[in-house]
Amino acid sequence: PLDYQSLLTHNGIDSNFKLVIPGDPVNSVLLWRLSLPDTDDRRMPPPDSRYSKLTLQELAIVRQWIQSGAPQR
């Protein structure tokens, strides 16, 4: 699992993209991967995971958190 600092600095699947770019949900890989359809192998959590896909409300919370600068608390 990633801790908070790793989440902000980890490049994810491509070294050109950051998982979370504070203030920029459109270019944050985390939100993109959470929003992918079930048929995409890159989706988080994976379709075969014991965790379910985030709801639209949960995705909105993640989007707002990133937009607001991704504060730790």
Side-chain angles (χ1 to χ4, degrees), residues 2-29:
L2 296 173
D3 61 23
Y4 177 76
Q5 192 58 41
S6 296
L7 186 65
L8 296 181
T9 59
H10 186 71
N11 289 333
I13 58 174
D14 187 320
S15 62
N16 295 320
F17 300 99
K18 297 285 186 195
L19 281 177
V20 174
I21 302 170
D24 189 1
V26 172
N27 291 304
S28 293
V29 172

Side-chain angles (χ1 to χ4, degrees), residues 3 9 12 23 35 41 73:
D3 61 23
T9 59
S35 303
D41 291 341
R73 294 267 175 204

Side-chain angles (χ1 to χ4, degrees), residues 9-64:
T9 59
H10 186 71
N11 289 333
I13 58 174
D14 187 320
S15 62
N16 295 320
F17 300 99
K18 297 285 186 195
L19 281 177
V20 174
I21 302 170
D24 189 1
V26 172
N27 291 304
S28 293
V29 172
L30 176 65
L31 187 60
W32 172 71
R33 291 198 55 196
L34 290 170
S35 303
L36 288 170
D38 294 348
T39 56
D40 195 312
D41 291 341
R42 298 168 296 177
R43 190 193 95 191
M44 289 176 48
D48 61 352
S49 170
R50 64 183 175 115
Y51 300 103
S52 39
K53 183 176 181 177
L54 271 63
T55 65
L56 292 177
Q57 183 179 9
E58 291 167 329
L59 286 170
I61 291 168
V62 173
R63 184 178 293 107
Q64 179 58 41

